[in-house]
Amino acid sequence: MIIGEIILIPIFLYLAFAAKYNFNLSWWSINTFIILLLCDVWCDYDINMRAIKNSDYSRDNLVNTMEKLLRMKQRRTKQTAIMLTATIVMSIWLLIEIGFHLIAINADTGMWFVFYGGGTGAFIGVVAAWWIYRKMQKTNDEMIKQIEEISKEQ
């Protein structure tokens, strides 16, 4: 999952700068977007890749692994709450900024379709992010449950 995010970083940076010049966005908006993007990728890497090693799944330290999984789940919940809130606020801000720009230049219908498509895409992205978050938390819960069952057998 993290590899896909790393591959998408240059694409999102290109799209951010294209939006900056096409919609006359402020540098504040672009820099905030870039910082949020990089923070999210770093947090995903830190939570999903660095938190647990393959050696943690051995039978010798299952209690320790369960604690790490619980910590991962809590950290992912915090990350999702912060980043989802930031994404919603940033999306609203960008829609307002782009909307004012389109009004100022008396944009044609095609530009407004791009604007509404962007808003719809942002909404779909938030829904997809929530679905992925729920799926990851469910996987963590299943792993914790399996470890608890194995620990009870011993």
Side-chain angles (χ1 to χ4, degrees):
M1 181 133 162
I2 192 74
I3 294 171
E5 291 178 356
I6 291 172
I7 290 170
L8 288 174
I9 287 175
I11 295 168
F12 283 133
L13 291 176
Y14 173 77
L15 292 173
F17 287 110
K20 166 36 176 158
Y21 291 108
N22 286 331
F23 296 114
N24 198 27
L25 296 177
S26 66
W27 280 108
W28 180 91
S29 297
I30 298 304
N31 290 336
T32 303
F33 172 78
I34 292 169
I35 290 169
L36 288 175
L37 173 71
L38 296 176
C39 287
D40 190 54
V41 171
W42 171 254
C43 288
D44 282 347
Y45 170 75
D46 191 45
I47 292 170
N48 297 322
M49 304 298 279
R50 286 183 34 189
I52 288 193
K53 309 282 187 270
N54 286 336
S55 62
D56 289 330
Y57 292 108
S58 69
R59 286 189 175 268
D60 298 337
N61 57 357
L62 289 179
V63 174
N64 187 26
T65 302
M66 188 171 68
E67 290 172 359
K68 286 183 178 183
L69 286 170
L70 287 169
R71 216 172 308 122
M72 265 177 68
K73 186 176 176 183
Q74 292 169 347
R75 291 177 66 198
R76 189 178 298 123
T77 300
K78 288 178 187 175
Q79 177 205 9
T80 301
I82 292 168
M83 292 308 293
L84 207 52
T85 303
T87 300
I88 290 169
V89 169
M90 185 73 192
S91 296
I92 291 169
W93 173 257
L94 285 173
L95 288 173
I96 290 170
E97 191 172 352
I98 292 169
F100 281 139
H101 173 70
L102 293 177
I103 290 170
I105 65 168
N106 197 16
D108 62 350
T109 306
M111 290 294 282
W112 283 103
F113 279 124
V114 170
F115 173 76
Y116 291 126
T120 305
F123 176 77
I124 291 170
V126 167
V127 170
W130 183 254
W131 180 77
I132 291 169
Y133 163 76
R134 298 291 300 158
K135 184 178 174 187
M136 290 174 74
Q137 294 295 71
K138 185 178 177 184
T139 302
N140 257 22
D141 289 340
E142 290 170 0
M143 291 174 67
I144 291 168
K145 186 176 178 182
Q146 288 176 356
I147 290 173
E148 286 175 344
E149 289 173 2
I150 291 171
S151 296
K152 286 179 185 177
E153 291 174 6
Q154 292 179 351

